[in-house]
Amino acid sequence: METIHQSVRTEFRYPVHFTRGAFDIGNMALREVIASGGSSRRTLFVVDEGVCTRERNFLQQIENYCRFHADSIENIAPPIVVPGGETVKNDSRYVDSVRSAIHAHGICRHSFVIVVGGGATLDMAGYAAATSHRGVRLIRLPSTVLSQNDSGLGVKTSVNRFSKKNFLGTFTPPFAVINDFELLDSLSDRDWRSGTAEAVKVALIKDREFFGWIEANAALVAARNSSAMEHLIYRCAELHLRHISGGDPFETGSSRPLDFGHWAAHKLEQLANYNLRHGEAVGIGIALDVTYSRVMGMLAKDAWQRILGVLLDLGLPLYAPELETGDLLNGLTEFREHLGGELTILLLQDIGKPVEVHSISADKMKESVAALSQYAPVCSL
Ligand SMILES: NC(=O)c1ccc[n+]([C@@H]2O[C@H](COP(=O)([O-])OP(=O)(O)OC[C@H]3O[C@@H](n4cnc5c(N)ncnc54)[C@H](O)[C@@H]3O)[C@@H](O)[C@H]2O)c1
Ligand SMILES: [Zn+2]
């Protein structure tokens, strides 16, 4: 018997641009990204309805931009506008509508799907692009805080199935990401604030100094100060990108540091029928896991209080009634199933100092939920 040991090696590179007014005629970012592709100028836009406010006249902006840059961009159809939010991942009609348009308009692997939207729209359109022709190039313009500092930067695409978040999905790096800070102006206060939970997460596990910066600037960020928010997004994006390139981008291991606070978050989102924002659920998940770390005697009281204080100053909820349902702990099993391998949960020994554990005590977790309920305001939906 003979064996050929095959090895396939490939490197992915993509730029993440930070700009304002990506569709101003004079803004070259998108034009240059498309030109860098070389072979095709064809584009198909997918746009989150939330971005299309009356003041912005966004679809007209896209049309004007493409017309002005027609030597570099051949936009072959009007943008597909989708509702945004978890609906686009729950209802398979949306992913099908993007695939149908890719088919109908002759979008090939060298052409571009350009998606503008929150994390849910990016995930859905990314999944449609990744699974058409085994992968059409995707340019993301994330339009929420969460998608600019976290979900829009990475290599994952997905939709929900069987009431499970991200059950269908791929690991597919984007062709480019353009973070346009101006898009954030139209966000509701809720979406402005909720994405900041991912910055707290990454600071807690990777960068004590950044945590100090967030602590000092939390009130400013919550009050919609743009330059403070831009700094928060930039640093959070940088830490996420560094982690993705240095670690295990296609998640073959069992350890998922960037999923700190997420086992409970994913379960809570489902238990709350997706009426909680992902960022809100992550904030609650962090509050729960640091409280558990405290209950287990790992985390000092002072650090625990500082962390809850920062989440509160950012205007994030620390608690949701769904924490008390018996189903919460199933979130641990589902989390392990989704990632594969051994259950691996990150807890905190100190700010910037995480520790991995492989089992969670149900009793101590219940005690932590009770402790948190004493402390925390409930999410006001
Ligand atoms: N792929 C990944 O690695 C990854 C990582 C984290 C989270 N996610 C996913 O991201 C999703 C959450 O993303 P999100 O927090 O960005 O929320 P979201 O995509 O659900 O959007 C929230 C709301 O904001 C609206 N909106 C978007 N941009 C707007 C703008 N500029 N102005 C006004 N309204 C706007 C949307 O229409 C929607 O109603 C979840 O589905 C989560 O699972 C994916
Ligand atoms: Zn997250």
Side-chain angles (χ1 to χ4, degrees):
M1 190 154 130
E2 309 252 346
T3 307
I4 298 175
H5 291 284
Q6 167 75 327
S7 160
V8 177
R9 205 178 292 237
T10 182
E11 188 184 46
F12 297 96
R13 287 171 176 272
Y14 54 94
V16 178
H17 298 288
F18 295 82
T19 188
R20 288 191 75 87
F23 291 97
D24 293 350
I25 295 297
N27 192 314
M28 293 294 141
L30 181 59
R31 176 197 168 98
E32 285 172 8
V33 161
I34 292 170
S36 74
S39 40
S40 173
R41 296 181 292 125
R42 285 168 85 79
T43 60
L44 173 72
F45 281 84
V46 181
V47 177
D48 185 322
E49 200 173 63
V51 182
C52 303
T53 57
R54 200 172 317 133
E55 307 76 53
R56 185 175 275 137
N57 204 2
F58 194 56
L59 300 183
Q60 190 63 50
Q61 273 192 50
I62 293 178
E63 196 185 321
N64 293 348
Y65 188 88
C66 293
R67 195 172 323 118
F68 188 85
H69 294 286
D71 56 332
S72 298
I73 306 175
E74 184 192 351
N75 193 38
I76 43 81
I80 301 171
V81 180
V82 296
E86 213 58 29
T87 312
V88 289
K89 288 172 69 172
N90 283 332
D91 185 338
S92 60
R93 272 180 306 175
Y94 297 108
V95 72
D96 281 344
S97 72
V98 179
R99 287 177 175 146
S100 301
I102 291 172
H103 159 67
H105 300 298
I107 291 289
C108 71
R109 283 186 191 166
H110 288 212
S111 313
F112 300 90
V113 170
I114 303 178
V115 56
V116 188
T121 301
L122 302 183
D123 274 359
M124 180 280 290
Y127 182 61
T131 49
S132 300
H133 299 305
R134 298 201 175 97
V136 168
R137 288 167 168 174
L138 180 77
I139 300 173
R140 300 191 192 121
L141 282 96
S143 66
T144 59
V145 170
L146 184 120
S147 56
Q148 291 198 355
N149 71 13
D150 180 340
S151 83
L153 307 167
V155 300
K156 293 189 278 186
T157 78
S158 65
V159 293
N160 306 332
R161 269 306 277 283
F162 311 122
S163 305
K164 285 184 178 163
K165 264 192 74 93
N166 307 326
F167 184 80
L168 298 176
T170 66
F171 290 106
T172 314
F175 186 80
V177 181
I178 301 175
N179 265 350
D180 178 355
F181 289 133
E182 210 173 270
L183 293 176
L184 306 179
D185 294 347
S186 55
L187 283 178
S188 65
D189 286 346
R190 190 175 178 191
D191 284 305
W192 174 275
R193 287 191 299 251
S194 63
T196 61
E198 301 283 5
V200 175
K201 170 199 79 181
V202 78
L204 284 175
I205 58 174
K206 286 188 178 289
D207 188 344
R208 191 180 168 87
E209 211 176 294
F210 183 40
F211 181 84
W213 183 91
I214 299 175
E215 190 173 35
N217 291 277
L220 211 55
V221 170
R224 298 197 73 134
N225 178 290
S226 291
S227 57
M229 182 58 104
E230 287 170 22
H231 178 78
L232 177 140
I233 289 173
Y234 187 89
R235 182 66 186 145
C236 180
E238 199 173 27
L239 289 166
H240 272 96
L241 286 166
R242 195 182 297 162
H243 178 88
I244 293 164
S245 61
D248 177 18
F250 294 165
E251 298 174 8
T252 53
S254 312
S255 165
R256 286 295 318 284
L258 291 181
D259 273 350
F260 176 50
H262 276 58
W263 73 267
H266 286 162
K267 190 67 197 172
L268 277 177
E269 282 178 88
Q270 183 202 332
L271 291 172
N273 279 325
Y274 301 100
N275 285 320
L276 274 176
R277 294 289 196 257
H278 178 71
E280 291 169 339
V282 169
I284 297 169
I286 293 171
L288 181 61
D289 281 354
V290 298
T291 303
Y292 181 84
S293 304
R294 172 80 199 123
V295 167
M296 296 302 283
M298 284 180 194
L299 183 67
K301 187 169 182 186
D302 169 59
W304 173 65
Q305 286 181 328
R306 275 180 71 192
I307 297 165
L308 297 189
V310 166
L311 292 168
L312 286 174
D313 286 351
L314 286 167
L316 291 163
L318 299 192
Y319 192 79
E322 288 80 7
L323 282 172
E324 284 168 52
T325 75
D327 238 21
L328 179 75
L329 288 169
N330 288 344
L332 285 167
T333 315
E334 289 169 14
F335 187 72
R336 194 203 59 74
E337 265 174 27
H338 183 64
L339 299 181
E342 191 183 11
L343 176 70
T344 305
I345 299 287
L346 221 57
L347 298 176
L348 223 55
Q349 279 178 319
D350 196 359
I351 293 164
K353 216 168 157 202
V355 60
E356 279 185 357
V357 300
H358 300 289
S359 64
I360 293 288
S361 150
D363 287 346
K364 295 287 181 192
M365 190 52 81
K366 282 184 195 144
E367 200 180 316
S368 308
V369 169
L372 197 57
S373 73
Q374 304 290 306
Y375 196 96
V378 178
C379 175
S380 52
L381 291 175

